Amino acid sequence: MRTMISDCGEEEAVTVRRTELSDAQQIDSLIDLSALAVFGKVNIIHILEKANLAVTLANEKNEVLAHASFCDYPIGDLVDQTDWEAFLHQHFSTEHFTPLNTLFLHLYVAQPSFSKAGIKEILRAVFNVVTELQYICLLSPNVTALEPALDEIFKPLKSRSQPAPQCLALVCHRHNYCPMLRVRSARKEDYEDIKRICAEQDKELSASHGPYNLAELIEAQSEGKNHVAVCESDGVAVGFISVCADVDLVLLNDCFELDVFGRLYKPQQADQSEIPPQDPLTADHSTRETQTSTTQDHTEEQERNQHPESTAPRKTPNAFCIQLLVIDKNYEMRSVDFLPFIFKRFPDRDFCIITVPNLKHDVPLLLNFLRVAPQPSSVLHQELYIFHRTGLLKSFEVRTASAADRAAVSTIVEKLSQHQFLLEDLDEFCQRQSELDGTPLKALVAQVQNQVVGVLIIKKEQDMDYICSHYNIENFIYFSHHGAEEHAQMCHFALNPIFQHYAKHFLQEALRQAHISCLYQHIDPPYSSQKNSCVHPLTSVLQCMVLVRPRRQISYPLKELGTNAPERRITQEQPPFALNFISRKLTMEPKLTINTRIVVVGASETGLSFLEVLAVCPHLRFLNLTLISTHGFPGDHNYDDVGFLSTSHAYSSRDFGQLGLRPSVSVVTGKMVGIDRKAKHILVSGGRKVPYDHAVLCMGQQYQVPCPTSVNLSRPVTNRELPADCHCHRYTGHVPSNLLTLNDQHDCCAARHWLAHNFVEQDDNAIVYGNSIDIFTCVDSLLGLGVLGPRIHVVLLPMEPGTSCFSNPSLEGAMERALQKAEVHIHCNCVLAQMNEGEHPEPLTSVSFTTDGPPLHLTCGVFINLSSRRVDYDAFRSINDACLVFDGRLVIDTTFHTNDSSICAAGPLTKFSRRYDAEQWTHHNFNSKEVGQELAAAMLPLFDPTLEPTVDLPPDADRLTPVYKQPKVQGGRLPGGYYYLHLAKPSVPEPAVGPSFVPHAICFGGQQNQIICKE
């Protein structure tokens, strides 16, 4: 909020913000005859949908005082939107007007008392937010007198043709409302002004830089080494920057992937092009306020010792660094004005670099910088950003591609995967402007100083009905205001990374020149065979576009509905794909970049749900999301119909394909074996260290290799004679190759493959050991593989009194009858006693069990273990050694925190602290996906400035455990052709007794619903 003086002289607290659709009614009420005369008849919803930028001035009551909408083309049909630049250059003195620096006013309305003050405030805000903007034009075919507020602001364009076209042609210049800052070398006289700015940010500066002395920095300036500059407004210094030529390139190369930039050394050969070639780089975006750079010297001798290959002539550094940047918050968008000045101070260096602490918020300057990917082994608590001096060029142009561009485009993309498809589509566009099936194509290239630096190929989106029915696209647009011809699909995108700060402008120009308003990008899952799209760098596209959530689908009984069924193009299943989207109104919508390192341990439903919430935030871009998983990312493979285990129906392979989490999440394949809380990194099997700012533990519980009791069976021993702690021991011996413990879809897929090649055609027995529903789903999968029932032995562990697999006697009976019909052997109340009669267990050929009666001895070809579900030992040891409180499970509070504020946990791994008196009320009783969503909701306020601050709660409110609403779901295919689905209200589980089993019926018991139906 800021105080503004109205045209009547009254003070009003106002805010300038982006227009929301909820403002439409108030804006419509402000349209008067004078606005209609200039802008023509206006549909407010339509203009808000199509405007590149819509800004509203509102008061404390959220009443609209003034509104303005801006587009990248003129009003009406005076000139086609693709030709306005040539039109202006032909008829007016507008040589410097380009699509990059020009917008057009399409509507301005205001309350009478805020007409003049409102337009000035809005223009000031627009020029401040859009840093490249220099001119705002009012070009309208309606020749009429302007209202006084606009007449005062906009001045006529100088005509250069006679007769001049019949139109309004006016312009407003940046320098009148938000001028570029003047940058000069710092002087001692600037000390007081700079000290005032630093004092406002002293705490943050001290945390990131430690003690510093401004006077010493100013006095230490030397030509070619250290420079200090200030930017000033109206003769007063409002910003300060310190740059240095001494950069520790050895350390930076050890920690970041800088090979594509020549390791920041001068090239050995002089035949380099002015603009560096396309480099396959995986990096992106920005952070906030003040930063530090690594500038400490390594001597020449040290560099030779660490890099013996450089013992020839010493390489010349090609980069300088920003050591310190401080700027008044009211001017921070103009921090880009420093860049031309500091590059002039180092004419022999091509790169400007800056390192930023991970926990820093977004800094507008870094919107122009390229984030460099860290090395996997890096534990440096900094992000590296880089800017090439050619990025200062403003001659970034977008035009339609021609056959003459093929050689330049081929050079840009030759090292990219799928580049051959891009070149084929470019050839088709040049030959016929369409694909072979007639789908229209449009190819555009970006060029700087007549050199091609990027290419974009789009085609008409053919599946809009499918997209609208399968994705929540209306979260971002009113679909009815966009014509069928205004939707296009991105086929290919490539842009030289040093110009990635122009990526959004590239897409904006594509929308304008192709006469479209919505652009979609399909991302196929890694296992897809239809991958024919070349998009690079993908991170640039993700920064510009938003990820669209898929819709939940209805399974229609098409045969029963007949002619009343939905159209086939809606119901026909297509291969899954993730959908990214951008529209005209999103082209100037900023994203806040979050560099904070968030590491999720465990690819459980809780962890994946947490990552999903963060990845789909449309206004946030998390650059450091990492998943540590034993078997990698579950969406990298199609695990549908693998079987063996029951499912919660939270995520399927199709869900992963549609969500598109993979490009936003770095995956470390391995197992957590240690946590270093002091150094803040997680040790993964194989020795890799993964640094974190926030760690989220979501490993859940897994089936463990059973430990035989090793009792002597030479005399009869029953279960009653076993020691009470016999189930608590951990197996530490050799795990036989034919003992399969199944915990996830990867294990099941590997088990299916092993069984098909090593067991199905044999005559040995299959032992299935455990006491959960997974026993029955596993048996069904074995029968489906062709294993005969008599070869399968179901060995059930003793259950807790009053419990059973299904908590319903009728369902238990149904399963018993189905297994008997399949001739599957069932052995109840058995505890593993010996493997191979105590001899070496490789391979496992026999197993022995104690029972309530005589011991059970079975020969064994494969032993499938589904027993002993508990916290993994390596996870327990890591937690315990890190001194995190573990009380049977990892102890958390109601905000998911452990006793370490930077480590959170959720899921079946956890339990609430005893102070809540909720021993039975654990995450194990809740929907894991909902738990992950609540975990994300608890953490988002740390990063999202748009979230409302938490209202002060009563002192005892933190003693209340969370309430969850979604049902806990479990289902699977059972022997006998049955499909089972169990839905339970979040609660402490209790034994449920239902009615007698009836096929095709729904059985109700207490707070649980169980559905079992025959195929």
Side-chain angles (χ1 to χ4, degrees):
M1 284 281 182
R2 58 179 295 174
T3 301
M4 188 180 77
I5 307 297
S6 71
D7 299 348
C8 303
E10 298 179 356
E11 289 189 354
E12 182 85 25
V14 300
T15 181
V16 181
R17 57 172 173 80
R18 291 178 182 269
T19 304
E20 301 169 356
L21 288 174
S22 58
D23 299 324
Q25 187 173 357
Q26 293 188 64
I27 295 172
D28 190 60
S29 67
L30 296 176
I31 298 177
D32 55 16
L33 293 177
S34 62
L36 291 174
V38 175
F39 302 107
K41 188 176 181 180
V42 173
N43 182 318
I44 293 299
I45 298 294
H46 186 79
I47 198 171
L48 293 182
E49 282 293 304
K50 298 296 182 68
N52 296 90
L53 182 62
V55 181
T56 290
L57 181 71
N59 61 16
E60 290 180 301
K61 298 178 181 179
N62 206 30
E63 296 173 336
V64 174
L65 305 178
H67 164 82
S69 292
F70 304 88
C71 294
D72 54 5
Y73 57 90
I75 299 170
D77 56 0
L78 177 67
V79 62
D80 186 87
Q81 61 180 267
T82 62
D83 298 328
W84 68 259
E85 191 175 3
F87 176 84
L88 284 183
H89 293 174
Q90 178 183 351
H91 297 290
F92 303 96
S93 298
T94 56
E95 294 81 4
H96 302 295
F97 289 43
T98 68
L100 181 63
N101 64 20
T102 307
L103 283 177
F104 295 85
L105 180 66
H106 273 231
L107 178 66
Y108 175 70
V109 292
Q111 292 185 12
S113 59
F114 287 91
S115 184
K116 292 184 179 180
I119 186 64
K120 292 178 181 179
E121 195 69 24
I122 287 176
L123 291 178
R124 190 177 296 112
V126 171
F127 278 121
N128 183 54
V129 170
V130 187
T131 56
E132 301 294 345
L133 186 62
Q134 298 294 329
Y135 313 102
I136 295 179
C137 295
L138 176 50
L139 195 65
S140 172
N142 306 312
V143 180
T144 184
L146 294 178
E147 63 169 293
L150 295 179
D151 190 53
E152 181 180 334
I153 299 297
F154 287 89
K155 305 304 178 185
L157 287 170
K158 184 179 179 181
S159 176
R160 66 190 309 174
S161 64
Q162 296 295 333
Q166 294 298 306
C167 64
L168 280 177
L170 308 134
V171 66
C172 170
H173 295 269
R174 162 182 285 279
H175 60 75
N176 293 326
Y177 296 95
C178 186
M180 297 175 63
L181 301 178
R182 177 175 177 264
V183 182
R184 58 171 174 78
S185 295
R187 302 187 292 260
K188 293 182 180 180
E189 293 79 2
D190 299 316
Y191 178 78
E192 291 300 326
D193 289 336
I194 299 172
K195 184 179 179 181
R196 174 185 55 81
I197 302 170
C198 292
E200 297 173 359
Q201 306 170 25
D202 187 64
K203 184 176 179 181
E204 191 173 0
L205 284 170
S206 297
S208 57
H209 293 77
Y212 60 93
N213 189 306
L214 292 175
E216 289 182 1
L217 286 174
I218 295 173
E219 293 176 359
Q221 295 185 78
S222 60
E223 189 67 29
K225 286 192 174 183
N226 302 297
H227 288 281
V228 179
V230 296
C231 58
E232 60 181 20
S233 176
D234 296 329
V236 178
V238 295
F240 169 88
I241 192 170
S242 172
V243 291
C244 178
D246 293 329
V247 183
D248 190 346
L249 295 183
V250 175
L251 176 62
L252 292 179
N253 278 287
D254 286 343
C255 295
F256 298 95
E257 297 178 357
L258 289 168
D259 289 343
V260 293
F261 297 109
R263 300 175 67 86
L264 298 184
Y265 291 104
K266 285 285 187 182
Q268 297 298 311
Q269 299 176 353
D271 56 350
Q272 296 290 315
S273 60
E274 183 177 358
I275 298 175
Q278 174 76 23
D279 291 309
L281 191 66
T282 54
D284 222 316
H285 205 55
S286 49
T287 57
R288 181 178 165 80
E289 205 47 61
T290 52
Q291 18 286 337
T292 57
S293 259
T294 307
T295 59
Q296 308 306 322
D297 292 83
H298 268 241
T299 63
E300 182 176 351
E301 182 179 355
Q302 288 174 317
E303 186 170 334
R304 287 200 198 100
N305 291 338
Q306 294 190 26
H307 294 272
E309 68 275 9
S310 62
T311 55
R314 187 175 186 268
K315 295 181 180 179
T316 305
N318 195 28
F320 63 91
C321 68
I322 297 176
Q323 290 181 300
L324 179 65
L325 169 65
V326 186
I327 190 166
D328 189 300
K329 291 183 182 296
N330 294 322
Y331 297 92
E332 61 182 4
M333 294 300 298
R334 297 309 314 167
S335 55
V336 296
D337 296 337
F338 277 120
L339 294 178
F341 181 86
I342 61 177
F343 269 105
K344 288 180 181 178
R345 304 281 79 78
F346 297 97
D348 60 331
R349 306 282 175 105
D350 292 328
F351 293 100
C352 174
I353 65 171
I354 186 170
T355 59
V356 185
N358 294 98
L359 294 176
K360 290 293 179 186
H361 294 103
D362 203 13
V363 175
L365 173 66
L366 297 184
L367 292 171
N368 298 277
F369 280 62
L370 177 69
R371 175 179 175 265
V372 181
Q375 297 279 7
S377 59
S378 173
V379 292
L380 192 66
H381 296 273
Q382 305 254 332
E383 293 289 333
L384 176 65
Y385 287 83
I386 191 168
F387 185 88
H388 193 275
R389 67 166 58 246
T390 54
L392 295 172
L393 299 173
K394 304 301 182 184
S395 57
F396 187 90
E397 302 174 357
V398 180
R399 59 170 175 81
T400 300
S402 65
D405 297 317
R406 193 186 193 282
V409 171
S410 179
T411 301
I412 292 175
V413 304
E414 61 183 353
K415 295 182 180 180
L416 305 181
S417 61
Q418 315 296 329
H419 72 277
Q420 68 276 13
F421 296 108
L422 185 153
L423 295 176
E424 288 173 5
D425 284 346
L426 179 61
D427 292 337
E428 289 185 358
F429 170 76
C430 295
Q431 294 170 11
R432 62 179 73 87
Q433 284 76 51
S434 67
E435 294 184 325
L436 294 176
D437 62 1
T439 303
L441 280 175
K442 179 75 172 179
L444 302 109
V445 294
Q447 63 180 27
V448 175
Q449 293 186 340
N450 297 319
Q451 181 176 339
V452 174
V453 297
V455 60
L456 171 65
I457 300 179
I458 62 178
K459 67 178 181 180
K460 181 180 179 182
E461 180 58 75
Q462 300 290 308
D463 296 320
M464 283 314 303
D465 288 336
Y466 182 86
I467 286 175
C468 288
S469 62
H470 285 72
Y471 296 86
N472 286 314
I473 192 66
E474 291 195 348
N475 285 353
F476 303 100
I477 59 171
Y478 273 135
F479 188 76
S480 59
H481 287 269
H482 300 264
E485 72 285 352
E486 292 186 290
H487 300 271
Q489 176 185 341
M490 179 191 294
C491 301
H492 311 285
F493 175 90
L495 181 65
N496 191 312
I498 66 174
F499 296 106
Q500 85 155 13
H501 54 290
Y502 290 134
K504 187 171 281 190
H505 176 70
F506 194 0
L507 298 181
Q508 177 183 328
E509 278 294 277
L511 295 176
R512 180 179 68 89
Q513 296 190 28
H515 291 84
I516 59 176
S517 58
C518 300
L519 184 62
Y520 305 85
Q521 183 210 4
H522 300 190
I523 300 182
D524 297 314
Y527 55 83
S528 173
S529 60
Q530 300 187 4
K531 298 170 92 173
N532 55 8
S533 177
C534 178
V535 177
H536 178 82
L538 179 58
T539 47
S540 292
V541 176
L542 295 178
Q543 178 63 34
C544 299
M545 307 180 89
V546 294
L547 184 62
V548 186
R549 283 181 181 269
R551 293 183 188 270
R552 295 183 64 182
Q553 295 299 300
I554 300 173
S555 296
Y556 293 99
L558 299 178
K559 291 183 179 179
E560 289 83 347
L561 290 174
T563 57
N564 294 322
E567 296 183 21
R568 179 173 175 79
R569 64 175 181 269
I570 293 176
T571 59
Q572 185 178 16
E573 189 170 283
Q574 296 187 14
F577 59 86
L579 187 68
N580 286 315
F581 168 78
I582 190 171
S583 66
R584 286 183 182 270
K585 69 178 180 181
L586 294 177
T587 54
M588 292 187 177
E589 188 77 22
K591 279 189 178 183
L592 180 64
T593 299
I594 309 298
N595 278 318
T596 305
R597 296 168 300 183
I598 302 174
V599 178
V600 177
V601 183
S604 63
E605 292 167 0
T606 303
L608 294 170
S609 175
F610 169 79
L611 289 172
E612 176 189 348
V613 173
L614 300 189
V616 301
C617 285
H619 58 287
L620 300 180
R621 176 82 173 105
F622 288 88
L623 298 181
N624 279 315
L625 296 179
T626 302
L627 174 66
I628 299 175
S629 172
T630 306
H631 298 132
F633 190 75
D636 287 347
H637 305 279
N638 188 352
Y639 288 127
D640 284 345
D641 302 322
V642 170
F644 288 99
L645 294 177
S646 61
T647 175
S648 67
H649 297 283
Y651 292 103
S652 64
S653 294
R654 184 172 188 83
D655 293 331
F656 286 124
Q658 291 180 317
L659 282 173
L661 297 182
R662 192 62 180 89
S664 303
V665 179
S666 300
V667 178
V668 177
T669 302
K671 200 173 184 181
M672 181 181 75
V673 295
I675 303 174
D676 189 329
R677 290 171 54 189
K678 184 176 181 180
K680 300 191 77 170
H681 67 247
I682 292 173
L683 183 63
V684 182
S685 55
R688 179 171 175 180
K689 298 177 181 178
V690 181
Y692 68 86
D693 298 307
H694 295 278
V696 180
L697 307 183
C698 299
M699 295 86 73
Q701 297 180 329
Q702 294 81 36
Y703 292 123
Q704 306 298 318
V705 177
C707 182
T709 58
S710 300
V711 297
N712 186 358
L713 297 181
S714 60
R715 64 178 184 83
V717 178
T718 64
N719 290 338
R720 287 188 298 271
E721 300 176 60
L722 296 177
D725 63 347
C726 67
H727 301 290
C728 303
H729 296 167
R730 183 174 70 92
Y731 182 74
T732 58
H734 174 78
V735 179
S737 58
N738 58 338
L739 192 159
L740 309 179
T741 299
L742 308 182
N743 280 304
D744 56 26
Q745 295 298 303
H746 180 276
D747 291 336
C748 295
C749 188
R752 178 176 284 273
H753 183 270
W754 188 93
L755 290 167
H757 289 81
N758 300 283
F759 179 76
V760 173
E761 301 298 329
Q762 307 300 320
D763 297 325
D764 298 323
N765 292 331
I767 310 299
V768 184
Y769 183 57
N771 58 4
S772 68
I773 184 180
D774 290 333
I775 290 289
F776 301 97
T777 57
C778 180
V779 169
D780 180 75
S781 296
L782 290 173
L783 293 172
L785 279 172
V787 181
L788 298 178
R791 296 176 57 196
I792 301 173
H793 290 259
V794 174
V795 182
L796 298 174
L797 277 162
M799 302 287 291
E800 294 292 329
T803 63
S804 65
C805 291
F806 296 98
S807 298
N808 190 310
S810 61
L811 301 186
E812 296 280 357
M815 283 302 95
E816 185 176 353
R817 290 190 294 274
L819 293 177
Q820 289 174 351
K821 185 176 180 180
E823 301 183 37
V824 174
H825 303 280
I826 306 174
H827 311 278
C828 297
N829 297 331
C830 300
V831 177
L832 181 63
Q834 292 181 350
M835 293 190 293
N836 284 0
E837 298 182 352
E839 301 297 328
H840 191 275
E842 182 65 48
L844 187 58
T845 57
S846 67
V847 286
S848 302
F849 303 87
T850 56
T851 67
D852 294 338
L856 173 66
H857 302 277
L858 297 172
T859 59
C860 175
V862 63
F863 188 102
I864 300 178
N865 171 50
L866 299 167
S867 68
S868 307
R869 174 167 274 177
R870 57 179 179 264
V871 177
D872 179 75
Y873 175 75
D874 288 326
F876 161 73
R877 188 179 62 180
S878 301
I879 292 168
N880 190 62
D881 291 350
C883 297
L884 298 177
V885 178
F886 193 92
D887 182 14
R889 298 183 187 184
L890 180 58
V891 175
I892 60 172
D893 61 18
T894 55
T895 59
F896 301 93
H897 286 95
T898 64
N899 56 302
D900 186 326
S901 60
S902 62
I903 300 178
C904 293
L909 167 72
T910 65
K911 63 176 291 188
F912 291 116
S913 173
R914 290 178 183 263
R915 64 191 171 99
Y916 298 112
D917 194 23
E919 285 293 305
Q920 300 297 320
W921 197 253
T922 69
H923 287 172
H924 178 74
N925 303 326
F926 309 138
N927 184 300
S928 294
K929 192 171 183 179
E930 184 184 14
V931 171
Q933 292 167 350
E934 292 299 318
L935 170 60
M939 288 192 66
L940 272 177
L942 299 175
F943 317 111
D944 190 350
T946 66
L947 294 177
E948 296 275 337
T950 304
V951 179
D952 291 338
L953 299 174
D956 294 335
D958 66 335
R959 300 183 68 89
L960 300 176
T961 54
V963 176
Y964 296 92
K965 299 178 180 179
Q966 295 182 19
K968 187 173 174 65
V969 182
Q970 188 177 34
R973 180 185 167 106
L974 304 178
Y978 292 106
Y979 287 92
Y980 172 78
L981 181 65
H982 176 258
L983 298 94
K985 180 180 178 181
S987 63
V988 177
E990 296 179 0
V993 180
S996 300
F997 171 77
V998 180
H1000 315 286
I1002 300 178
C1003 302
F1004 300 92
Q1007 295 177 324
Q1008 305 182 25
N1009 295 341
Q1010 302 191 54
I1011 303 174
I1012 183 167
C1013 59
K1014 197 169 179 66
E1015 186 176 19

